[in-house]
Amino acid sequence: MQNAINFEYNAIPNENETDFLSKATFAHQQYLIKSNNDDLIAAINYYIQAIKENPSISNAYYRLASLMHQSGQIGLESAIEQCSHAVEIDPNNANARMYLGYFLSQNGDFEGARIQFKKAIKLKPFSSYRARMVMALTILEKMNNKDCIKEKNEKDFISFSKAMYYIFSGSLFFLFDKAGIKMFCKNVINDLNFAKYNTVGKILEKTNFDKNAYELYSDALDNTKNAPLFYEKMANIAIKKERLEVALQCYQNAVTLSNHNPEKIVDLIEFLEENYPNRTDDLIDNYTALIKKLPDFSRGYYELGNLYLRKDEKINAVSAFKLALDGEPDNPFYQNSLAFAYVQLEQYDSAIELYKKALENNPDNEWSAVVAQALAAIYHRINGNFDAAISMLQNALILTKNKTEIYLSLADIYYDIEDMDEAIKYYTLAVEGGMKDAKVFSRLAMAFWERDYIENAIEFYTRAIDIEPDYEIAYNNLGVVYFDGLNDPERAKPCFEAALRLNNDYTMAHFNMARYHETTNDKVLAANEYQYALDLNKLYPEIDDDIIQERLFKLFET
């Protein structure tokens, strides 16, 4: 509707005029023609200065109210207050009453709006084009905003007829509206300029004269009201030429000059995500700007939450995900993300409840299997509820074809509760599913060792070393299997030595090396290793001190 309230001009202002109201009027006119954010800011500032210089200027109040409301700086109540003050200053100002009527209608006071529009028409009947058009739109809007839309009746027909009357009469009075005609002519000229620049630019681009097209679009910035569009065209050419910084600046200018138009912000965000994904702060700033323009855009809060997580700003992430859920309470993706953020804050009970809700709203079996694994991890690692964790993972197995990670999680749980047969079963399934990880092989080897499957233990410790040659634990444990399982100290020795080469502060490797020296009756070397292990054990505890001391003392018993 606001587009119907055109700006009134008693005279075309001169850019070089010195008083604040004239400067404000000129900037306001330029903003209406070019939609340039710089002109908007300049007009607002000049109107403020004009009011400070002369508080009795009626025109400045309602024009300022219009621009500040349009830019989101004030709400409807403040705009109504400003326009009411303009009417108090000059009750015979038809434009002040028209703007007051507009804001009253936007606030739902259709009767108050009707009164103001009628007074505006009465005050300037031959210049009432805009007032009549807005009056018509207000009547139509009132008809569409009824609490209960019933069958069309006689009252609806009368209202519709009135709206049509004001539209047709307004169209006739347009011929007497000098300001409207002047503005119309300027817009026609602008549209012709736009068509010229746009058409020629497209031809130049299609014929690969990109440099010429870029220069043409640059010229269009100052000669049309479509600067944001031409900045985006310049950005596309810069991307084509792999000049990403230039493209970024063009997208940023498009956003600024469009007064942070949501579509322009989205274009900038998509460009950043594709070409500068690590500019997290820039992405946060732009999502924040987008949310200010679209406060009900839940996806914006969701993306903002993920960006805060990337920066490890957990509390901000939680707040953003909560706002996303306020808009879409049953969105499983938002529930899952908020649950993950709660895990980062170690608020596990809240995380569990949200993971459960996400599973109830299951959008996809494969996705739900991943959520089930996250919930099982809390049951396993945090709550120690192994039965719940196993049950959750068994359900996840039903939901997904990608079972390897789930097999691994089940194997870890059974390993921790010392059910080695089940641990072996699931570790083996994970390995058969393509798992190649030295630590997984090492755990499977240990499970085999616990069940006295010596050859299997040797096989998987060896495979662990093949995958990760610097894995000192695998070397040490393989040496233990040789030493205690096969009673072969000589095969164990190089394993213990390799573990110590990789990590000389490895307590158990020194302890096992001491045991080897005992078998060769080299008590001094054995004592040195036991003492080294005892000293290290105080820094890196791996074994009861009493065990080391007992073996150390027994070396010298007669």
Side-chain angles (χ1 to χ4, degrees), residues 497-557:
E497 289 174 337
L500 289 172
R501 277 197 305 273
L502 292 167
N503 181 6
N504 195 47
D505 293 333
Y506 190 177
T507 303
M508 288 304 300
H510 282 289
F511 177 80
N512 288 321
M513 199 69 206
R515 292 202 300 147
Y516 167 78
H517 288 307
E518 275 194 81
T519 64
T520 62
N521 205 32
D522 195 333
K523 294 184 179 182
V524 174
L525 287 177
N528 288 338
E529 290 292 347
Y530 279 133
Q531 186 60 53
Y532 206 111
L534 188 62
D535 294 339
L536 281 175
N537 203 50
K538 299 184 187 306
L539 297 173
Y540 313 106
E542 294 186 48
I543 187 173
D544 194 327
D545 281 351
D546 292 341
I547 296 174
I548 303 174
Q549 289 173 343
E550 182 181 353
R551 296 191 72 99
L552 181 59
F553 295 152
K554 279 186 177 180
L555 284 175
F556 302 102
E557 289 180 356

Side-chain angles (χ1 to χ4, degrees), residues 150-289:
K150 300 178 179 178
E151 293 182 5
K152 296 294 179 184
N153 52 33
E154 186 177 349
K155 204 169 185 180
D156 291 326
F157 178 75
I158 292 171
S159 296
F160 182 75
S161 299
K162 285 182 178 179
M164 291 301 101
Y165 162 72
Y166 282 114
I167 288 174
F168 288 125
S169 62
S171 300
L172 290 174
F173 280 107
F174 175 72
L175 299 174
F176 301 95
D177 192 332
K178 293 181 180 179
I181 292 172
K182 289 175 182 176
M183 196 66 187
F184 176 76
C185 292
K186 283 183 173 291
N187 279 314
V188 168
I189 293 170
N190 177 80
D191 290 342
L192 291 173
N193 282 337
F194 169 74
K196 177 187 72 175
Y197 284 111
N198 191 45
T199 302
V200 175
K202 284 181 178 179
I203 294 171
L204 290 172
E205 284 192 72
K206 286 183 179 179
T207 52
N208 292 323
F209 287 97
D210 292 326
K211 182 179 179 181
N212 301 84
Y214 188 93
E215 291 173 351
L216 182 75
Y217 293 147
S218 180
D219 186 50
L221 298 176
D222 296 322
N223 293 296
T224 73
K225 69 176 183 180
N226 306 94
L229 173 64
F230 286 113
Y231 265 123
E232 288 201 330
K233 288 178 175 289
M234 292 165 67
N236 291 333
I237 294 173
I239 292 170
K240 184 178 176 181
K241 298 298 181 181
E242 298 183 353
R243 299 181 64 186
L244 296 181
E245 285 295 332
V246 173
L248 175 59
Q249 187 62 55
C250 288
Y251 276 121
Q252 289 172 335
N253 289 342
V255 168
T256 302
L257 292 175
S258 67
N259 192 24
H260 291 82
N261 178 280
E263 291 183 6
K264 303 304 179 188
I265 297 174
V266 169
D267 290 339
L268 174 55
I269 288 172
E270 290 176 349
F271 174 79
L272 284 169
E273 288 176 337
E274 182 176 350
N275 297 284
Y276 297 101
N278 295 324
R279 290 197 177 184
T280 306
D281 289 334
D282 289 340
L283 285 167
I284 287 174
D285 290 342
N286 282 288
Y287 270 113
T288 302

